[in-house]
Amino acid sequence: MHTTFRLGNREFDRLAFLFKEQKGVDIVKVQLINAMQRKQLVNLMYISKSGEISKRCVKIIEVSSEKFLAYCFVKRDKRTFIIDNVLAAIPIIRRENEII
């Protein structure tokens, strides 16, 4: 199952990186916590320890300081992800009248 999602333009990504560096805010971690609180699914672009890049659709279960636990719909199992290895995190917005 391949998931398609949109990444922001380069300028936005650059500004987000600069904001993160200047303010000490981990933007990805904030996105993950918000998605967990809202019970949203998230499309991730993730790089593994071996350098392999993958796209995942996940439901966040728990977020700690450096890692997060999520149910991965690609692997059909719970997985632990390293926050610093998340290249992009895009919450999936569903309409209320949408049937799942």
Side-chain angles (χ1 to χ4, degrees):
M1 177 177 131
H2 293 287
T3 305
T4 303
F5 56 95
R6 296 180 199 131
L7 298 177
N9 63 35
R10 288 184 183 178
E11 187 62 26
F12 176 81
D13 292 342
R14 184 175 163 276
L15 290 172
F17 175 77
L18 291 173
F19 177 80
K20 177 180 173 181
E21 290 298 311
Q22 290 176 357
K23 302 293 183 184
V25 175
D26 190 343
I27 293 170
V28 172
K29 186 172 182 179
V30 170
Q31 287 179 322
L32 296 173
I33 291 169
N34 286 339
M36 179 181 70
Q37 291 172 341
R38 295 177 181 145
K39 298 179 175 32
Q40 289 177 309
L41 301 182
V42 178
N43 283 323
L44 295 179
M45 184 175 286
Y46 187 79
I47 186 165
S48 68
K49 291 179 184 178
S50 65
E52 183 179 337
I53 296 174
S54 63
K55 294 177 185 177
R56 307 287 184 98
C57 180
V58 300
K59 182 173 183 178
I60 312 296
I61 298 168
E62 180 181 330
V63 179
S64 67
S65 61
E66 297 175 3
K67 299 178 182 183
F68 65 98
L69 178 66
Y71 179 83
C72 177
F73 290 95
V74 174
K75 299 292 185 178
R76 297 183 180 159
D77 200 6
K78 290 181 184 175
R79 297 283 196 225
T80 300
F81 297 92
I82 299 170
I83 294 173
D84 285 344
N85 290 5
V86 175
L87 302 174
I90 312 295
I92 299 172
I93 309 298
R94 295 184 299 210
R95 289 177 266 143
E96 286 188 33
N97 61 352
E98 185 176 345
I99 299 173
I100 299 175

